[in-house]
Amino acid sequence: MYDIEVAVRAHARLGEGTVWDADAQVLWWVDIWSREIHRFEPRTGKHCQWQTPHEPGSLALRSNGNGLVVAMSNAIHCFDPSTGMFTLLREAYDANWPARFNDGRTDRQGRFWAGSTDTRENAPAEPVAALYRLDTATHLTLQLDRLFCSNGLAWSPDGTRMYHADSHLRRVWCCDFDTATGELAQRRLFIDMSEVGIPDGATTDAEGCYWIALWQAGRILRYDPDGDLMAQVELPTRAPTCCEFGGENLDVLYVSTANLQRGALSTDVTDPLAGSVLAMDARVRGVRSMPYCG
């Protein structure tokens, strides 16, 4: 059994995008449907939030403590928490395109990767979501296309393997990753989750194992580098969305969650912890997140 506690008793409609700032010892995450960025300091319990002009899918720290980079709607922006101001960095596609940014993370070299999700209600025959890479020179390039819902981004500790999921297809792939160029090769199936659940946000630990949240299933799963299930963590809420290692020793796994009643603005009485951020003793250390270096 894992020791699990409530880190932030929040009411996020769709909490996502957990990122740990090891220097400041704070956790960042977003609430997509409420258009909010959140910051939590475990040492003091201080919890701050900012409104965003569009739906934020993911974020990353910027180098030298220079705020954040945030993937919102159809574009990537810089965000200054001290002023609450956003500055457009790069657009990925036209604002009328039926997709929005979703899961994203930095690789071990500080490039920011952000995937999108198809926003049409019924799954189309030709999906329009994609995965993009923002290099340190602020050059945005398309890496994978024809996706339904890009998710589950993570890298091995040495950065030579990238993991990526499509929630709709219930599959996780791994790719050989060129750390010098950021190019992908030999994309192959890592986990077929068709009989397991819907893969959502993910991270890796220092032992090279892959941790992934199961949307609507109330579980976090840990897989070894060969794709074999190592551990299964039952959570006290139904909709975990993303996970990230934090704490002074990077051995606390923070888990963002969501309220399955999409339009609800109050707590789901059948799932009172929906929308909160959970924290658990992972019994293993994570790998420090890199800031975006652009």
Side-chain angles (χ1 to χ4, degrees):
M1 295 290 291
Y2 288 84
D3 293 329
I4 303 172
E5 61 183 31
V6 179
V8 185
R9 191 173 290 273
H11 302 290
R13 297 168 68 193
L14 181 53
E16 266 285 8
T18 48
V19 172
W20 178 255
D21 183 341
D23 291 331
Q25 291 287 294
V26 298
L27 181 75
W28 293 90
W29 77 96
V30 301
D31 182 347
I32 296 176
W33 290 333
S34 296
R35 296 187 176 184
E36 295 171 346
I37 291 175
H38 291 254
R39 179 185 185 272
F40 172 63
E41 186 175 3
R43 286 175 296 190
T44 65
K46 185 178 181 180
H47 177 205
C48 305
Q49 62 190 65
W50 296 261
Q51 287 294 135
T52 63
H54 307 286
E55 294 175 331
S58 57
L59 51 78
L61 304 170
R62 296 186 69 195
S63 58
N64 303 317
N66 193 21
L68 305 171
V69 58
V70 185
M72 286 191 298
S73 185
N74 69 323
I76 298 176
H77 301 252
C78 293
F79 173 60
D80 182 351
S82 66
T83 63
M85 298 296 294
F86 292 86
T87 304
L88 177 65
L89 197 58
R90 285 290 183 273
E91 285 188 345
Y93 44 85
D94 184 89
N96 295 320
W97 192 248
R100 64 159 175 81
F101 271 120
N102 191 50
D103 182 59
R105 285 192 182 276
T106 52
D107 61 31
R108 304 298 183 208
Q109 290 69 43
R111 308 175 191 92
F112 182 55
W113 293 67
S116 58
T117 182
D118 199 311
T119 57
R120 291 171 287 185
E121 289 189 9
N122 297 318
E126 294 293 330
V128 299
L131 177 65
Y132 298 87
R133 185 187 76 214
L134 184 68
D135 291 337
T136 54
T138 66
H139 180 56
L140 186 68
T141 56
L142 175 67
Q143 296 299 303
L144 296 172
D145 60 3
R146 295 177 57 81
L147 302 174
F148 289 96
C149 182
S150 181
N151 236 319
L153 272 174
W155 280 261
S156 59
D158 65 2
T160 61
R161 177 186 284 195
M162 188 190 85
Y163 299 98
H164 174 258
D166 189 317
S167 297
H168 178 76
L169 297 178
R170 300 194 181 195
R171 290 183 175 91
V172 182
W173 294 271
C174 64
C175 306
D176 294 337
F177 188 82
D178 189 322
T179 58
T181 65
E183 295 300 317
L184 307 176
Q186 300 296 320
R187 184 172 182 251
R188 56 210 181 265
L189 184 65
F190 178 57
I191 310 167
D192 183 348
M193 306 191 79
S194 56
E195 302 298 324
V196 179
I198 302 172
D200 210 317
T203 189
T204 51
D205 61 34
E207 296 178 0
C209 293
Y210 181 75
W211 297 69
I212 188 161
L214 283 190
W215 172 248
Q216 299 185 21
R219 288 179 289 161
I220 299 286
L221 303 182
R222 183 190 187 218
Y223 290 89
D224 71 13
D226 294 323
D228 294 324
L229 183 63
M230 299 284 289
Q232 180 171 262
V233 183
E234 299 290 338
L235 300 173
T237 185
R238 293 195 299 269
T241 56
C242 196
C243 51
E244 170 81 340
F245 285 95
E248 293 183 3
N249 299 313
L250 291 177
D251 57 359
V252 176
L253 190 73
Y254 288 100
V255 181
S256 57
T257 69
N259 190 334
L260 290 176
Q261 297 177 351
R262 272 184 80 110
L265 295 177
S266 59
T267 301
D268 180 351
V269 295
T270 66
D271 190 2
L273 295 183
S276 295
V277 177
L278 307 178
M280 57 175 275
D281 179 1
R283 306 175 192 167
V284 65
R285 297 184 65 173
V287 181
R288 179 172 174 149
S289 296
M290 293 298 294
Y292 169 62
C293 296

